[in-house]
Amino acid sequence: MEKKRSFLSKPGVASVVTAFVGVVVLMVIFWLMNPNFMRQNNLMSLARSICPYLLVGIGQGIVCITGNIDLSIGSVLGMSAMISATLICNGMNVILAIIIDLIACLLVGLSNGLLVGKFKLPPFIGTLGTMTICRGIAQIVNNNYNTGDIGVGGLKDLFRDMFYYGRVGYLYYGVIICLIIWAIFYYLMSYTATGRHIYAIGSNVDAARLSGVDVFKTTTIAYVISAFCSFMAGLITMAAAGMGSMQAGLSYEMYGVAAAVIGGISTLGGSGLLVGVIAGASVWAILQNGLTLANVPVAVRNIVIGLIVVACVLFDIMRRNGMIGAKKKAA
């Protein structure tokens, strides 16, 4: 009779639990270093600062599960912020500006899916190209200048409240929106055929194709989701600044990978749980916040976080290759 597996032995669960334990440990460490870390205002700001990391982590995580990577997410974020801000500053209705912005970002996702899923370009090369193109678009839409303030009044105030300033109780609307987006994609990945297909092509693309999975369609869906998440992160970034910046989203491709791999999603594809991205994004934001309160220089912060990302990816590769965590066979 087969033994019932424990909860922690289920695929991906141990990594998620470890990530959340890491969140708690980091919070305690920074609280001991600086009691201001646990103050209500700081925790509220911390929750809000997690949002962009969570969004790009969701998109990057889903793409990583397919066995690919999306280097364009940071540039799509910047393009999103610049397109919407430029259109609004030029007098366009806020809703129409956001719709045009959304269409532009989704076209990037479709392009990535076409390049990687249809024409079989290595994802590193394909998305590196769209990354450069999107950054160029972010620069050219306002003639190589950051935009001015988007202004106030009417829908502009509603937009800024919804994505950054507004809150109910201690929870900002932007945080609620991000959690709703996460819940939608968690459901997609956990309970739908599309989610199963995404895991299948990441585990073994040839076996998935022989099983009837449309690899091109599934890959494209993953990249479109990633582009949508970057679009939303761009809106949040623009609402926070009240303007569009050509530099918005720089290095966010690394932030997305960090949130995904720290949360237990494998860069080799086929495994990982989207719930872990919440922990991964939280670890990143906590490190940024806590190290800032501790007056640690930006360069040192980047070194610390870079080392953590490399360690997480290395651990995943070693675990997948049986170098650690494998049970010894009886003699």
Side-chain angles (χ1 to χ4, degrees):
M1 191 173 176
E2 206 173 291
K3 288 184 179 179
K4 189 177 180 181
R5 292 196 302 176
S6 67
F7 175 72
L8 287 176
S9 68
K10 294 179 180 179
V13 171
S15 297
V16 172
V17 172
T18 302
F20 277 103
V21 169
V23 169
V24 174
V25 170
L26 279 176
M27 292 185 75
V28 171
I29 290 172
F30 286 126
W31 174 53
L32 293 174
M33 289 174 63
N34 189 334
N36 289 328
F37 180 82
M38 283 295 190
R39 289 188 181 278
Q40 178 184 304
N41 288 342
N42 188 59
L43 292 178
M44 288 171 63
S45 296
L46 177 61
R48 188 166 57 180
S49 70
I50 289 170
C51 291
Y53 303 139
L54 175 59
L55 288 169
V56 296
I58 291 168
Q60 191 70 273
I62 291 174
V63 171
C64 283
I65 290 172
T66 67
N68 297 304
I69 195 167
D70 187 359
L71 297 181
S72 70
I73 55 174
S75 294
V76 175
L77 188 161
M79 185 181 77
S80 170
M82 281 299 295
I83 289 176
S84 53
T86 300
L87 293 175
I88 292 170
C89 285
N90 282 293
M92 183 175 286
N93 176 276
V94 172
I95 295 175
L96 182 57
I98 290 173
I99 291 172
I100 293 173
D101 188 14
L102 173 61
I103 292 170
C105 292
L106 293 184
L107 284 174
V108 177
L110 286 170
S111 300
N112 284 334
L114 189 66
L115 292 171
V116 176
K118 185 73 173 178
F119 295 110
K120 311 301 180 187
L121 258 68
F124 183 87
I125 300 300
T127 61
L128 182 65
T130 52
M131 176 186 80
T132 308
I133 292 168
C134 291
R135 185 59 63 184
I137 294 172
Q139 293 167 338
I140 205 172
V141 289
N142 199 44
N143 298 317
N144 227 32
Y145 289 98
N146 295 333
T147 72
D149 193 284
I150 63 171
V152 295
L155 289 174
K156 295 175 183 177
D157 288 344
L158 177 62
F159 167 74
R160 294 174 84 163
D161 281 343
M162 284 297 295
F163 286 96
Y164 195 73
Y165 293 104
R167 61 188 173 94
V168 51
Y170 299 118
L171 204 57
Y172 285 100
Y173 292 137
V175 177
I176 296 172
I177 290 171
C178 288
L179 290 176
I180 290 171
I181 292 171
W182 171 85
I184 290 170
F185 290 126
Y186 174 79
Y187 179 84
L188 174 82
M189 295 297 292
S190 302
Y191 301 105
T192 69
T194 299
R196 290 192 293 273
H197 292 169
I198 287 173
Y199 278 102
I201 66 173
S203 297
N204 189 320
V205 66
D206 293 324
R209 187 180 287 109
L210 291 172
S211 299
V213 175
D214 189 329
V215 174
F216 166 52
K217 177 183 175 182
T218 305
T219 302
T220 301
I221 288 172
Y223 276 112
V224 168
I225 290 171
S226 179
F228 171 77
C229 290
S230 295
F231 156 75
M232 292 298 298
L235 293 184
I236 289 174
T237 302
M238 193 266 281
M243 59 175 283
S245 169
M246 294 183 295
Q247 305 304 310
L250 285 178
S251 299
Y252 266 70
E253 53 279 348
M254 184 180 72
Y255 299 169
V257 171
V261 300
I262 292 172
I265 291 177
S266 174
T267 54
L268 301 178
S271 69
L273 301 174
L274 213 56
V275 67
V277 177
I278 295 177
S282 299
V283 166
W284 183 268
I286 289 167
L287 282 169
Q288 294 278 23
N289 183 279
L291 293 173
T292 299
L293 287 177
N295 294 317
V296 175
V298 174
V300 177
R301 277 184 263 160
N302 290 336
I303 291 170
V304 170
I305 296 169
L307 288 172
I308 290 173
V309 173
V310 171
C312 287
V313 174
L314 182 61
F315 177 82
D316 174 58
I317 292 173
M318 292 174 70
R319 180 179 58 82
R320 292 282 287 260
N321 289 334
M323 298 170 68
I324 56 175
K327 293 182 179 178
K328 292 182 180 179
K329 293 182 179 179

